[in-house]
Amino acid sequence: MFASTIENHVVESLPQVELKGHINLVSTRSQVEHAARYLSRQPVLGFDTETKPRFSSGRMYMPALLQFSDGVSSYLIHLKKTGLPQEIVAILCDPAIIKVGAAVRDDIAGLQRYAPFEPAGFVDLQDMVQEYGIVEKSVKKMSAIILGKRISKSQQVTNWEAFPLSGAQALYAATDAYVCYSIYNKLIAHNSEKKSPRQRMYEEILVSAASLLKDEPDLVANMANVSALIKETFKFWWVGFYRIDNKSRELVLGPFQGPLACTRIPFGRGVCGTCWKQRKTIIVPDVEKFPGHIACSSRSRSEIVVPLFDKKGELIAVLDIDSEKTGTFDQMDSRYLEELAGLFKNIY
Ligand code: SME
């Protein structure tokens, strides 16, 4: 399973990507013909462009380089020498040749300044990774998470209109297309790890909650924002925390989102009190079938309650979520919500 995010220092510790195969430089008519013949036979191509950086405001330069990689050979097309040749436009418009890149809309818009064309068969890794619960969008971080490899960005801001390119520039440009190709292939091979939209929403909640809790030490403030995060994401009927009051042996209503709720629940009573007593997540598919369920609202039909522990393993609160529909929650919800509850444990 792929991680949803990765920290910079972890990326920097990874081994560097090694480009496989040959780099073909394309600047003449016969080289264009050779490249187009080869590339048009490939089902999948990594794709990227490079544009000379502009340091003052104003219109961007036209892309100087168009790169393709089929994982074996890389082709660097010097657009300043070749223009955008018709044979290459045919590849960019062929729905049967998958072109894989990152933020491809920008590359396409740049290429369309050479010649108008109707792009087809493009896959944007920034969209594709979301299906796997990956939140990162930069090629560097996607490469780190998916390939376990680091790509160097040291050549990114160089003069891409130079001819000939330096060896380091050619290697960088080819590697970018190669990495896009490799990421795509690996994702396809791990097709079964795609996440449902609901899982992806939980992954995003976890990332947001981790960053909220990292910056704020106050328990109530964090509970307030986390309940808002869940409520806003899923639109559940009621989301909130009950905190343990050891003196009265009661749960006391904490930060929540939704309609008014009961303020105190004794130990062992209702779903929340049972969660406290059993120290584990309770899923209630139908509240009418749970003996002792406390109906704060007649609209609540199913419920999940997750315990929150502190560092010492003491139970400090429960997170309660109510749905207006029966059977809303299952093991997937409990897995993610327990992970969310675990973020509090790291802090308190
Ligand atoms: N139904 C809960 C009480 C809390 S409310 O749903 C907000 C229970 O049985 O513990």
Side-chain angles (χ1 to χ4, degrees):
M1 200 165 84
F2 299 114
S4 57
T5 58
I6 190 161
E7 292 197 44
N8 288 330
H9 73 270
V10 181
V11 177
E12 292 313 320
S13 70
L14 295 171
Q16 199 164 327
V17 171
E18 277 176 46
L19 180 72
K20 303 227 172 69
H22 186 64
I23 301 178
N24 300 277
L25 302 171
V26 179
S27 62
T28 66
R29 183 95 278 279
S30 68
Q31 286 167 339
V32 166
E33 283 164 16
H34 169 266
R37 250 197 318 278
Y38 180 85
L39 293 169
S40 60
R41 289 200 300 264
Q42 309 309 322
V44 179
L45 294 169
F47 156 88
D48 195 16
T49 64
E50 302 299 340
T51 303
K52 181 177 176 175
R54 203 176 173 114
F55 295 105
S56 54
S57 59
R59 205 161 153 76
M60 289 249 300
Y61 288 107
M62 307 263 280
L65 208 62
L66 167 59
Q67 309 101 273
F68 291 109
S69 165
D70 71 337
V72 182
S73 299
S74 310
Y75 285 83
L76 309 187
I77 302 171
H78 285 272
L79 298 170
K80 291 278 154 181
K81 298 274 174 198
T82 62
L84 187 59
Q86 214 32 61
E87 300 94 320
I88 300 299
V89 170
I91 292 170
L92 298 172
C93 299
D94 189 339
I97 304 174
I98 304 288
K99 279 80 57 182
V100 189
V104 293
R105 281 165 224 88
D106 299 339
D107 299 287
I108 292 168
L111 293 172
Q112 283 168 332
R113 289 172 63 195
Y114 281 95
F117 64 90
E118 197 57 52
F122 281 86
V123 170
D124 199 320
L125 291 174
Q126 293 185 337
D127 301 331
M128 193 176 176
V129 294
Q130 288 181 33
E131 297 174 17
Y132 293 78
I134 298 169
V135 185
E136 301 290 358
K137 297 266 184 270
S138 70
V139 177
K140 192 170 175 110
K141 289 208 165 178
M142 290 192 284
S143 165
I145 291 173
I146 297 155
L147 305 176
K149 298 274 169 67
R150 174 174 56 89
I151 50 172
S152 160
K153 283 279 165 196
S154 64
Q155 297 299 312
Q156 191 172 27
V157 185
T158 56
N159 179 13
W160 291 105
E161 295 189 1
F163 187 83
L165 293 172
S166 71
Q169 281 180 307
L171 184 62
Y172 169 87
T175 303
D176 256 11
Y178 169 75
V179 162
C180 289
Y181 173 88
S182 305
I183 290 174
Y184 176 84
N185 265 2
K186 183 116 180 228
L187 288 176
I188 294 288
H190 287 246
N191 204 29
S192 60
E193 291 173 29
K194 274 195 189 169
K195 306 272 171 73
S196 68
R198 181 127 166 204
Q199 286 174 303
R200 282 149 54 186
M201 287 155 112
Y202 272 120
E203 306 260 348
E204 280 176 26
I205 286 179
L206 282 169
V207 172
S208 306
S211 101
L212 285 169
L213 268 66
K214 181 165 62 61
D215 296 334
E216 175 52 63
D218 188 85
L219 180 62
V220 170
N222 286 331
M223 286 179 163
N225 267 340
V226 167
S227 53
L229 202 52
I230 300 171
K231 172 83 173 163
E232 286 294 301
T233 305
F234 292 113
K235 314 287 178 205
F236 290 135
W237 175 246
W238 194 91
V239 181
F241 292 87
Y242 280 92
R243 299 170 69 189
I244 286 174
D245 178 14
N246 276 315
K247 274 203 207 99
S248 64
R249 295 283 282 167
E250 285 172 332
L251 289 165
V252 182
L253 183 63
F256 72 96
Q257 297 276 319
L260 293 187
C262 337
T263 53
R264 287 177 183 264
I265 300 173
F267 177 77
R269 293 279 303 279
V271 189
C272 294
T274 305
C275 170
W276 180 9
K277 188 173 177 186
Q278 298 188 359
R279 295 169 59 86
K280 62 174 186 121
T281 299
I282 313 272
I283 297 171
V284 180
D286 182 348
V287 294
E288 282 171 22
K289 295 193 179 127
F290 187 93
H293 167 260
I294 301 166
C296 292
S297 158
S298 59
R299 305 254 309 249
S300 171
R301 288 268 157 272
S302 62
E303 184 164 351
I304 184 167
V305 183
V306 182
L308 263 73
F309 300 95
D310 66 10
K311 276 199 195 89
K312 289 178 272 166
E314 299 286 336
L315 207 130
I316 53 165
V318 300
L319 167 61
D320 179 13
I321 305 179
D322 291 26
S323 161
E324 284 185 283
K325 293 185 198 126
T326 53
T328 298
F329 306 102
D330 61 20
Q331 298 308 320
M332 190 267 284
D333 299 270
S334 64
R335 192 163 54 78
Y336 280 109
L337 292 170
E338 283 168 13
E339 201 176 323
L340 182 66
L343 296 176
F344 283 86
K345 185 173 170 176
N346 294 335
I347 299 177
Y348 302 106

